[in-house]
Amino acid sequence: MKDIIQSLYTQETTINRHKEALKTGGKDCANSVLTLANSIGKGWYATLLANTVDESVEIPEYIQDAIAYACQEVVTIDIKLKMVRYSLTFYPDSNLAAQDILSDITCIQNLKDKENVIEKYCNTFPKDQPAIFIQKIDEVFLW
């Protein structure tokens, strides 16, 4: 967020005001975030913000629910598998569970194998954001 402020504004007082609002949190923080989004456009803001987000970010549950509901018909098993594969790249080679699932991915031969790998990932790493999201998509189909 601070990098976006630095790249967007040139006046030091404006930069410091936004940075201070982010530190304090609450209403000031929310107003600062909305001001930034409105000044550069929400789409461009999201694009800039996406470049600063890493695997440690936790997406609020209400946003996950909304995205899962909105995309339930387009997230195929192949997309879920890509999510799993991508997520596993963040684990070190020393993580045997991750390496085991990556190995399983290379041996996939049919739809059932894909389903099994995705289920294994979700059960092994239930707190990973992609695992949570995959489970939410699957829950949405049960409505």
Side-chain angles (χ1 to χ4, degrees):
M1 203 60 158
K2 292 176 185 175
D3 292 339
I4 294 172
I5 293 169
Q6 286 288 148
S7 68
L8 185 61
Y9 296 106
T10 55
Q11 293 182 346
E12 204 61 39
T13 55
T14 304
I15 292 170
N16 290 337
R17 181 172 38 89
H18 281 291
K19 286 183 178 180
E20 190 59 36
L22 292 176
K23 284 182 197 173
T24 60
K27 185 179 177 183
D28 289 340
C29 179
N31 286 336
S32 185
V33 169
L34 287 175
T35 299
L36 289 168
N38 288 329
S39 68
I40 61 175
K42 292 177 186 121
W44 186 246
Y45 180 68
T47 301
L48 291 173
L49 192 58
N51 291 326
T52 64
V53 172
D54 64 19
E55 72 278 1
S56 67
V57 170
E58 291 190 27
I59 301 165
E61 187 171 355
Y62 74 95
I63 291 175
Q64 290 179 20
D65 291 342
I67 295 170
Y69 180 78
C71 71
Q72 64 183 325
E73 296 170 355
V74 296
V75 177
T76 64
I77 194 158
D78 290 324
I79 292 172
K80 291 176 187 177
L81 196 59
K82 283 182 182 180
M83 293 167 62
V84 168
R85 186 182 299 120
Y86 180 74
S87 177
L88 292 172
T89 64
F90 292 98
Y91 285 92
D93 291 342
S94 60
N95 187 309
L96 299 180
Q99 295 307 312
D100 183 47
I101 296 170
L102 284 168
S103 176
D104 290 348
I105 290 172
T106 64
C107 299
I108 289 176
Q109 294 184 2
N110 54 46
L111 180 62
K112 189 65 177 162
D113 290 346
K114 291 177 184 181
E115 291 170 349
N116 289 339
V117 166
I118 293 167
E119 182 179 359
K120 184 176 181 179
Y121 164 75
C122 289
N123 290 336
T124 306
F125 301 103
K127 293 186 179 184
D128 279 8
Q129 290 297 309
I132 294 168
F133 185 69
I134 289 168
Q135 291 169 341
K136 286 191 175 294
I137 290 172
D138 292 344
E139 289 171 10
V140 169
F141 277 118
L142 299 176
W143 290 1

